[in-house]
Amino acid sequence: MSALALNGGEAELARWGGLPHWPRVREGDEEALLGVLRSGNWGSTAGDQVARFQQEFAAYQGADEGIALVNGTLAIVAALRACGVGLGDEVIVPPYTFIATAAAPLLVGAVPVFADVDPDSHLMDPEAVRSVITPRTRAIIPVHLGGRAADMDTFRQIAAEHDLRVIEDCAQAVGARYKGAGVGTLGDVGTFSFQSSKNMSAGEGGAVVANSSSMGERLYSLINVGRVRGGGWYEHRNLGYNLRMTEFQGALLRRQLHHHPGDQEVRERNALILDEELRGVDGLYLSAPDPNLTSHGRHLYLMRVPELGRKGLRDTAVDALKAEGVEASTGYVPLHRNRAILDGTRALAKSLGQELPASHCPMAELVSRDTMWLPQQALLGDDELTHAIARAVRKVVGAAAELDAIAK
Ligand SMILES: *Cc1c(COP(=O)(O)O)cnc(C)c1O
């Protein structure tokens, strides 16, 4: 095998200069943005772009209600509030996810309680959820990490048994389907993000989808300073935020939605090429496919390197991949170890006179040491580039001794 680029060898992606760029500017994008600019209707209270986008997006996911808003973090905050979650309630979240999933409960005065993940899928483990339910539990937030749907049948059953609300964090899973149904339609409400790295993006942005019209009404009011649909401009019946998206974002997201199916086809095809090239490679572990996942959202390409992880070489492996031109990531630090979440939870529990919930999440700690992932744009190249990525991964994973020498 050739020398690692980190050791002066030739980078596998030298010819391409790295991964494909994201986001992509495509025909029609400029016209869409200029159309908004020239119309003078820059806010959604005047124009129709956001209104049309949220309708089209809800239809895409198969939901009756869609509300576009500023970002995915505040989408979870709004969803929690629309579900009636507030001061002193407990919300069960996975520790292996983006911080917003656990920060959002704290931002509404609720306590995030961590349920460990399944190390095979990186997704929240239903049995772990059962083990942390208390009389104060009000909601659970399964995260469809990397575009892979969580075990929604079981989560819905647990929720029914304990009268809990289910908020799906679909930030990484636009277009993902579980048993044929779009994610976000399986729980009470589903939240999305259109931040720069996501598979559909307007730089920033978010959405909440739901199937009940009363949920839609509550969400509308929450993001529109307490106004109600059909009500007067100064008729603020509820306490709400202004979380409205701009028309520029709405127009761009309509274009992004238009391109999403085609982009997903490319990501899917390339992910299958990587699976074929990498499954069974010594030292590398890919999760088993899930037959319930009828359409993968393909946001992250997750890989575990258990031996490199055990030897403390995962970070060096990611550096080596970067040197090959593959902008891989070392992934999340588990949130039950995050200082801000811990301090926030401790302060809240203290002010409520509640006991601090214990977090026992050994699997999240394990996978956080031995996981590396590729971002979605790694799946947007042609066959040749995808094969070069696979070569880079094989080269790095097969170079434990070299990585060890570099780390020392
Ligand atoms: C990106 C992301 C969010 C937050 O979305 P923002 O738009 O960045 O606020 C929430 N949850 C998950 C799992 C994410 O990946």
Side-chain angles (χ1 to χ4, degrees):
M1 202 168 270
S2 50
L4 293 174
L6 199 54
N7 267 341
E10 203 200 340
E12 290 290 345
L13 271 66
R15 254 177 61 199
W16 292 272
L19 296 179
H21 289 286
W22 183 261
R24 292 178 166 178
V25 179
R26 285 175 273 209
E27 207 182 315
D29 293 351
E30 281 189 30
E31 288 81 350
L33 286 173
L34 284 172
V36 172
L37 185 74
R38 291 176 182 139
S39 75
N41 296 329
W42 297 355
S44 67
T45 52
D48 67 350
Q49 293 299 303
V50 170
R52 291 171 71 172
F53 167 67
Q54 62 191 15
Q55 221 165 33
E56 291 160 1
F57 183 73
Y60 191 60
Q61 292 301 129
D64 296 333
E65 301 275 343
I67 301 282
L69 75 174
V70 288
N71 60 49
T73 302
L74 290 170
I76 306 173
V77 166
L80 285 164
R81 290 208 46 195
C83 286
V85 176
L87 194 63
D89 292 334
E90 290 179 0
V91 178
I92 300 174
V93 299
Y96 196 76
T97 174
F98 186 63
I99 191 167
T101 317
L106 284 168
L107 292 170
V108 302
V111 179
V113 176
F114 294 100
D116 207 358
V117 294
D118 175 343
D120 184 84
S121 64
H122 294 82
L123 300 174
M124 188 158 67
D125 178 354
E127 284 318 304
V129 169
R130 286 188 194 278
S131 74
V132 294
I133 291 173
T134 76
R136 281 197 288 265
T137 309
R138 284 295 298 278
I140 56 181
I141 312 184
V143 179
H144 305 310
L145 195 81
R148 181 173 170 135
D151 181 358
M152 290 307 296
D153 278 351
T154 311
F155 286 126
R156 282 201 294 204
Q157 192 186 330
I158 294 172
E161 284 165 19
H162 298 271
D163 189 24
L164 309 176
R165 305 285 79 75
V166 179
I167 295 158
E168 300 174 67
D169 182 341
C170 314
Q172 303 184 2
V174 172
R177 292 182 171 271
Y178 175 87
K179 294 186 171 180
V183 296
T185 68
L186 300 151
D188 293 276
V189 53
T191 65
F192 293 83
S193 163
F194 309 118
Q195 174 267 351
S196 304
S197 70
K198 302 294 167 31
N199 293 30
M200 259 179 66
S201 173
E204 301 291 351
V208 187
V209 303
N211 274 334
S212 106
S213 58
S214 59
M215 185 65 79
E217 294 290 344
R218 283 199 292 278
L219 289 163
Y220 175 92
S221 195
L222 271 167
I223 76 146
N224 278 300
V225 286
R227 290 190 186 117
V228 292
R229 280 174 177 156
W233 186 253
Y234 290 118
E235 190 186 343
H236 308 280
R237 281 203 225 150
N238 304 296
L239 270 183
Y241 312 83
N242 173 3
L243 301 179
R244 291 187 300 267
M245 172 184 279
T246 70
E247 287 287 286
F248 296 102
Q249 291 166 292
L252 199 49
L253 284 167
R254 292 187 70 206
R255 302 291 311 151
Q256 289 269 301
L257 184 59
H258 172 74
H259 287 293
H260 188 263
D263 288 348
Q264 285 305 103
E265 247 175 67
V266 175
R267 291 185 184 108
E268 181 65 24
R269 193 192 66 214
N270 288 334
L272 296 180
I273 291 175
L274 289 182
D275 283 354
E276 207 175 291
E277 293 243 0
L278 298 177
R279 206 176 285 284
V281 165
D282 226 25
L284 184 74
Y285 183 76
L286 301 178
S287 62
D290 174 6
N292 290 332
L293 184 64
T294 42
S295 177
H296 195 306
R298 299 294 180 199
H299 178 65
L300 302 171
Y301 190 85
L302 288 150
M303 301 171 280
R304 286 184 62 202
V305 285
E307 276 174 56
L308 292 177
R310 240 187 331 269
K311 293 176 181 154
L313 294 175
R314 187 272 320 265
D315 291 8
T316 313
V318 168
D319 288 342
L321 275 173
K322 289 180 180 166
E324 301 293 339
V326 182
E327 271 295 309
S329 167
T330 55
Y332 299 125
V333 175
L335 295 177
H336 66 294
R337 299 278 184 216
N338 174 276
R339 185 49 50 200
I341 296 291
L342 277 172
D343 288 351
T345 305
R346 194 169 287 130
L348 177 62
K350 192 174 171 211
S351 72
L352 292 165
Q354 293 176 3
E355 235 172 272
L356 199 66
S359 298
H360 182 63
C361 302
M363 292 303 130
E365 279 162 34
L366 176 68
V367 299
S368 76
R369 277 196 301 271
D370 69 13
T371 295
M372 50 189 200
W373 70 53
L374 309 179
Q376 49 93 4
Q377 64 269 29
L379 303 175
L380 283 174
D382 58 13
D383 280 19
E384 257 186 287
L385 173 56
T386 308
H387 285 289
I389 292 172
R391 277 199 305 278
V393 172
R394 282 201 306 265
K395 179 163 138 185
V396 167
V397 173
E402 242 183 291
L403 295 174
D404 193 39
I406 293 166
K408 279 175 186 150

